[in-house]
Amino acid sequence: MTRSDPVDLAALRRRDGEKWAAVDDGVLPAWIADMDFPVAPAVRDALLHRVDTDLGYATGYDESDGGPLGHTFADRTRRRFDWAADPAHVRTFTDINQAMQVVLHLGTTPGDPVVLHSPACPPFADVLVRLDRPPRLVPVVHRDDDWQLNLDRIADEVRRGARALLLVNPHNPTGRVFRRAELEWLAALAVEHDLLVISDEVHADLVYEGGRHIPFASLSPEAAAHSVTLTSGSKAFNLGGIRCAVAHIGVPRLREAVDAHRGILFGQVGVLAMTALKAAWSSGDDWLDSVLGVIARNRQQVHRDLPSPLVHRLPEATFLSWIDCRPAGLGDDPAAFFAREARVMLFRGSDFGPEGRGHVRLNFATEPEVLTEILRRLNDAVTGLP
């Protein structure tokens, strides 16, 4: 993905995706989790080949053996995470939110509480409320120079009747990568209480040097049998608009329930979407490695150049920075301040739950020149604050 040409900011502004289309002229977007980089060549070539050959009805929609992406997913998890996923347990969905809703709909009953770490990705808590699965928020707090999980609180919620845990690993928005000991503790809790663990691992490919992503289902056969792993190419390969995700469903009864409704209630993923994701996972690693180099440098630039008194902690994964603006005295909604004074659109922290008040989330998956301008504007906005 290396490039030497100057960034064409006007071309970025002409994009009609949500990230750039949602801002006014002159505003720089650094909010929603989309990248600004060109499409991976492997994905582009695969889509063009598909368009030039056959856009008719696709094969492989039965999926009882894992469908078109089963072996692709399993090969990738073995190569990158040393996890021998069962390709026959893979099912496709349009996106992670749809997959999560289906799993909750079939794997729990209305009124069942679901444990969710907070701050939490905004759609997740909303989905739980809409499905009548009351969210039980367990805060992730920063203590002793690390983001700490309150494992005892999670266990208390399970003993009080929570039937599922929505685990986001790596965690959005803090960028925390869960450790093996933490995951093993959660797996033991799941086995003891027959807890359904829905593990959103969409940021797994975006872990920085020194860290390691451990798939929850890779811990043991028992952990796999109590869990559903969700992922897609929406983050690592910037394929959010493609609408294709996979669920590795290790729970036999849940897999059977999904298959019983396949093609009727949940619809089917289109052939272009499956073509794009298969190409990304099979042939996109060189592009991804190049992107990781850019965002790793951007991550350090944010940490180095973000103005004081804003508090930034290096994320262990993702291309998102969770920034504490409370020391600057910007109130509960600092995103509004920066939109007005810096002409930079950041994600409002309060949308992530009570722990997000006084915070913003910054997306640094952009060209370095654009990030430099974003940080310059943020610096100018806080200069002279009392």
Side-chain angles (χ1 to χ4, degrees):
M1 200 210 72
T2 56
R3 57 185 296 168
S4 57
D5 298 335
V7 173
D8 187 347
L9 189 57
L12 289 174
R13 293 194 185 282
R14 286 194 296 270
R15 291 187 174 190
D16 60 0
E18 187 176 8
K19 179 181 180 181
W20 283 89
V23 299
D24 295 331
D25 289 344
V27 175
L28 291 177
W31 63 296
I32 198 169
D34 266 354
M35 295 182 183
D36 288 336
F37 307 125
V39 175
V43 172
R44 183 179 185 277
D45 292 345
L47 288 174
L48 290 175
H49 178 73
R50 170 61 65 180
V51 169
D52 288 340
T53 52
D54 191 351
L55 290 178
Y57 292 109
T59 59
Y61 277 126
D62 176 6
E63 292 202 339
S64 58
D65 62 351
L69 292 176
H71 285 284
T72 301
F73 173 80
D75 289 346
R76 183 170 186 77
T77 60
R78 184 181 298 107
R79 185 172 72 250
R80 295 187 73 90
F81 308 119
D82 196 27
W83 171 31
D86 189 332
H89 292 178
V90 173
R91 302 294 183 269
T92 57
F93 294 89
T94 56
D95 60 25
I96 283 178
N97 282 325
Q98 187 212 27
M100 181 181 70
Q101 292 176 56
V102 170
V103 168
L104 288 168
H105 174 67
L106 297 175
T108 62
T109 58
D112 284 347
V114 176
V115 178
L116 174 65
H117 293 108
S118 180
C121 188
F124 290 171
D126 181 60
V127 163
L128 295 178
V129 171
R130 288 172 179 264
L131 290 177
D132 189 23
R133 271 64 172 182
R136 297 291 184 258
L137 299 179
V138 176
V140 179
V141 297
H142 197 267
R143 186 184 302 119
D144 299 328
D145 202 30
D146 192 16
W147 291 104
Q148 301 285 337
L149 307 181
N150 192 332
L151 299 177
D152 291 338
R153 172 82 175 274
I154 295 172
D156 288 343
E157 295 292 353
V158 172
R159 295 188 189 103
R160 283 197 285 263
R163 298 301 305 134
L165 165 66
L166 180 51
L167 182 69
V168 181
N169 179 34
H171 184 247
N172 173 19
T174 66
R176 174 65 145 71
V177 177
F178 291 1
R179 314 297 192 255
R180 178 174 292 276
E182 295 166 334
L183 295 172
E184 289 177 340
W185 190 96
L186 292 172
L189 183 73
V191 172
E192 179 183 356
H193 294 275
D194 194 24
L195 183 73
L196 172 62
V197 177
I198 305 171
S199 187
D200 171 7
E201 302 184 10
V202 72
H203 287 101
D205 280 315
L206 300 170
V207 176
Y208 296 103
E209 186 176 358
R212 183 188 175 202
H213 173 72
I214 301 171
F216 184 86
S218 72
L219 297 170
S220 68
E222 294 77 18
H226 284 82
S227 66
V228 176
T229 301
L230 307 180
T231 192
S232 75
S234 62
K235 304 309 176 192
F237 290 93
N238 205 41
L239 298 178
I242 285 291
R243 314 306 280 182
C244 185
V246 302
H248 181 275
I249 306 174
V251 186
R253 62 175 176 80
L254 186 52
R255 195 165 58 250
E256 293 168 3
V258 168
D259 288 346
H261 294 82
R262 173 59 57 189
I264 300 174
L265 183 60
F266 310 134
Q268 296 171 333
V269 178
V271 66
L272 287 174
M274 286 193 291
T275 296
L277 185 54
K278 186 172 185 176
W281 280 350
S282 300
S283 307
D285 282 357
D286 288 345
W287 180 91
L288 178 59
D289 290 342
S290 179
V291 165
L292 283 169
V294 174
I295 63 174
R297 292 188 291 273
N298 286 359
R299 163 179 172 259
Q300 293 291 345
Q301 183 180 357
V302 173
H303 195 63
R304 181 183 68 244
D305 295 344
L306 196 73
S308 175
L310 306 181
V311 178
H312 178 255
R313 302 175 179 96
L314 277 171
E316 298 172 340
T318 81
F319 48 77
L320 307 165
S321 283
W322 187 239
I323 300 169
D324 187 353
C325 305
R326 292 173 296 179
L330 301 181
D332 285 347
D333 186 13
F337 169 83
F338 288 117
R340 182 179 66 253
E341 301 297 330
R343 305 284 285 167
V344 172
M345 186 174 180
L346 305 171
F347 215 120
R348 184 186 300 111
S350 57
D351 289 349
F352 292 79
E355 287 73 32
R357 295 193 187 102
H359 291 70
V360 295
R361 194 189 72 178
L362 183 152
N363 171 4
F364 53 83
T366 189
E367 300 290 354
E369 299 94 324
V370 177
L371 180 63
T372 296
E373 175 62 14
I374 288 170
L375 294 172
R376 184 195 68 77
R377 293 186 184 192
L378 298 182
N379 267 286
D380 288 349
V382 300
T383 299
L385 285 175

